[in-house]
Amino acid sequence: MTTFTKRVYRGLLSATLLAGSLLPASAQDKPAAVALPAGVTKGASVEGITEYTLKNGLKVLLFPDPSKPTITVNITYLVGSRHEGLGETGMAHLLEHMVFKGSTKHPNIPQELTAHGARPNGTTWLDRTNYFETFSATDENLKWALDLESDRMVNSFIKKEDLATEFSVVRNEFEMGENSPQNVLNERVVSSAYLWHTYGNSTIGNRSDIEKVPIENLQAFYKKFYQPDNAVLVVAGKIDEGKTLALVNEYFGPIPRPTRVLQPTYSIEPVQDGERSVTLRRVGDTKVVSALYHIMPGSHPDYPAMDVLTELLTNEPSGRLYKALIETKKASQQYGYSFTTKDPGYVYFAVEMLKEKSIEDAQAALLNTLDSVTIKAPTKEEVERAKAKLLKDVELSFKSAERVGLAMSEYIATGDWRLGFLYRDALEKVTPADVQRVAKFYFKPSNRTIGLFIPEPNPDRVEVPSAPDIAAMVKDYKGRALVAQGEAFDPSPTNIDGRTRRSEQPNTIELALLPKSTRGNEVNARLTLRYGDQKSLANKGTISALTASMLDKGTTTRSRQQIKDELDKLKAQVNVFGGGNQVNVVIKTTKENLPAVVKLVSDVLKNPVFDANEFEKLKQEQLAGIESQRSEPQALAFTAFQRQMSPYAKDDVRYTMTPDEEVAAINATKLDDLKQFHKDFYGAQNATMAVVGDFDEAAVKKMVNSELGTWKAKKPFSRLVSPFYDIKPTPQTIEAPDKANALMVAGVNIPLRDDDPDYPALVLGNYILGGGFLNSRLAVRIRQKEGISYGVGSQLQANPLDKTGMFMTYAIYNPENAERLEKAFREELDKVVKDGFTADEIQAARSGLLQSRVVSRAQDPSLVGTLNNYLYLNRTMAWDADFEKKMESLTPEQVNAAMKKHIDPAKISIIKAGDFAKAAKKIAEQQPASSVGSGKKN
């Protein structure tokens, strides 16, 4: 019983018993018609092998060969390591062992095999498991063999007590493989080459799976796959075809066709997108270098050309690898092989050398030889020599009828037993051009996984411990005292206004303080500094952003690390960010630590040291970030969208730069520019700060005023007025090569302020169209119904001070679905404008939206942001109460009229970024199957 892993079976894999006709001349007369038992159908007959199918689904191949007085019975089950799931690795192979442990009518199978003088075995491989026995050609022996295989198909014991002993036998087989560094390296390379497909798992399995598999799981695996509709029986040798078919039907026919339905495996290994490498260090005496390439499945018309390529590289003494490595004494052994597999497989090459030899030299020679095949075309002599060797294997193999089963098993598992004949016919036609074409297509570094075995006398490894007994760990754990519990806070606008204390004085920081009991005495705060005007900030967009980014990189009294350490000790989260005409500080801490945190934030804002080393690191970080986004569809699309919809002048601080402009601006910025910007623009006379949570109101007010109240900026502040841009709809398509996902962003500018009478209706309409959670119209159509996009939605923006609003929508998608996405998007938008929303839609959306606003106000980080912004806008929460009152009274007519008035589909600009050229090519080609003589891959 073996796992099928060695090239010792190379002849069987590369060739079946299929050269010329399979029968001796005396047997090639037209055979007598075979009487078909009831329910049995006859299928194809090719060169002496005939297929039959029983009514329970069992396929039968009969191959009469009177030249030898033996019969081989081989049954192939279409289950191998490819069919194993998580925790099941090695199960197909373990089951192969268990099936020899006896069945209802054959309790001692090893004894019976011996008594009948049979030469038996069982093997497990990626796509199949097979059992065969060759014995003396007598009626009694044939009946016994058919009875044995039919009984253990469905009546094998698969007992717990047998598993208790057999798993250790299989484990010993596993350990035998572990002794071979060459074998282990092969496993590591294959598993690294396959990220998802189960060809990456070795057939022998994972040690822990072998040791721990529950008997119930093994029995279920057996009952699922060992059934007549999942098997092919081959009987070859000195047989009478009619009598043998009757016997097969007698023994196998009564087994009922199972009611379960086997689902085909469907994992497809993604295209490898870069060379991978594996290094193995173990005790050993020789070094090994190997290289694996993903290749076509065994049924592919190009597979014979790959076989020829492998042979001309590895044959001795004329093979290219032999000449490059053995004759030059860089290595002492070289080999290569591939397998006929149902799904795309691999070809594997390896060279071994003595420990004192250079592994680097051997690796260079191996890879150079493999790479050179695409340049140095195979000669006719090389190809013909390789073909002669492979065709000889084909011709000689039929001389041993007992090996028919094993050879047939591979092609049966690949898809059909007749593939062996197709292989032979195609092999004869392979040309040097075919071999070079296949080499060029597959032998690319991006499709390669390299393996190195380096002998290590004392390997140092990490054995990661298993999870401890968690139940025992937590059994008596009591925990600490309860943290302080917060109050049941009412998040209504009226209550928030009633409990918020505002301090609004000219020419100094304004405060909104909402003290309340919170769980764990948590407190949240938000601080905003506003500075400059359109004229004074001209051409200073990059300087403004870099200045804000440098604030937490060190002060005149604290290093960057000291700031971080102090915040950790204070259990505080502080985020400082900004650009344009403001900088923001977001704070989360506890009541007892808030004063110290405010003092630290004050130091960060007022006294940055602007360290030259930190500045250089920041610039490099920013530049790397820009470069990393140059080819990203989302960055490309949103940048283009912002530039089109908000075309500010280049000197405006709000201008959206191209990546090249960003790089140039960062490189041109000097440290002195930041220092001067901070000196001119930073101050608190136009600042606002809100605090929500558990804190001492008087102490916080005193601390903030003491730290920031008298801090003044030199340059005056005046808000940036936002102009309305009436943009002509201009579509853009941006190519993003080699990106699997694309982004569409579309929108239209609207002359809208958030106190516009139509604003509540537009908010509700947008919520129905593209808001909510997977139940908006866009999400239902584009994601739920058509499955085009994972993320799709829309947004409505309205400025609180200027009549500059925007409706915007977005979707990520596969570039091949670009037309479908745009069609669905436009159809849904047209429906809104033409037919509007129903009363039920509006009622449901209104209820959800109003509740979501309550949830937002109940979150302190969100509430503190609102209160801070309202200080600047001179608003109270009465604005929210009024807005929600208006929303509650909205009618379907008002919502539909507002959407129709402001959202004009004809004015929407659509910008897309993705690999559309590749998608178009793929659609045009419709992925045709490649074949010998063509350069395309299936």
Side-chain angles (χ1 to χ4, degrees), residues 521-574:
N521 306 121
E522 184 180 281
V523 58
N524 287 268
R526 184 165 184 134
L527 166 66
T528 301
L529 305 183
R530 296 173 182 84
Y531 46 74
D533 56 31
Q534 185 170 341
K535 183 177 180 181
S536 63
L537 291 171
N539 295 309
K540 290 184 170 62
T542 300
I543 296 172
S544 175
L546 289 174
T547 301
S549 296
M550 282 294 291
L551 295 175
D552 62 358
K553 304 297 189 292
T555 71
T556 54
T557 58
R558 295 175 171 93
S559 68
R560 181 180 183 179
Q561 188 61 54
Q562 286 173 326
I563 293 172
K564 184 178 183 302
D565 291 344
E566 192 168 343
L567 288 172
D568 289 341
K569 290 177 183 177
L570 293 170
K571 300 177 182 178
Q573 294 176 356
V574 174

Side-chain angles (χ1 to χ4, degrees), residues 567-630:
L567 288 172
D568 289 341
K569 290 177 183 177
L570 293 170
K571 300 177 182 178
Q573 294 176 356
V574 174
N575 186 20
V576 184
F577 60 95
N581 70 337
Q582 62 179 243
V583 64
N584 295 277
V585 183
V586 177
I587 299 169
K588 183 190 292 289
T589 186
T590 56
K591 177 180 181 178
E592 61 272 21
N593 292 323
L594 181 60
V597 173
V598 170
K599 195 172 183 67
L600 176 56
V601 167
S602 173
D603 187 35
V604 166
L605 292 173
K606 293 163 65 177
N607 306 306
V609 70
F610 293 113
D611 178 78
N613 185 47
E614 291 290 349
F615 180 55
E616 188 58 33
K617 288 191 290 185
L618 174 63
K619 288 173 69 174
Q620 294 303 312
E621 179 184 321
Q622 297 270 338
L623 291 170
I626 294 167
E627 296 302 327
S628 71
Q629 294 298 303
R630 275 187 184 272

Side-chain angles (χ1 to χ4, degrees), residues 502-504 508-512 526-533 581-582 584 654 685-690 717-722 799-802 864-876:
R502 293 176 174 82
S503 174
E504 302 177 79
T508 189
I509 188 168
E510 298 180 355
L511 296 174
R526 184 165 184 134
L527 166 66
T528 301
L529 305 183
R530 296 173 182 84
Y531 46 74
D533 56 31
N581 70 337
Q582 62 179 243
N584 295 277
R654 295 162 292 184
Q685 68 264 47
N686 296 291
T688 56
M689 183 175 183
F717 165 73
S718 179
R719 79 176 184 86
L720 300 176
V721 176
S722 299
N799 193 299
L801 300 173
D802 301 308
V864 78
T866 299
L867 293 176
N868 178 59
N869 191 43
Y870 279 9
L871 285 171
Y872 173 63
L873 297 175
N874 294 315
R875 281 182 182 172
T876 66

Side-chain angles (χ1 to χ4, degrees), residues 453-466:
F453 168 61
I454 302 174
E456 183 76 56
N458 297 296
D460 184 16
R461 305 188 185 111
V462 176
E463 187 169 342
V464 180
S466 301

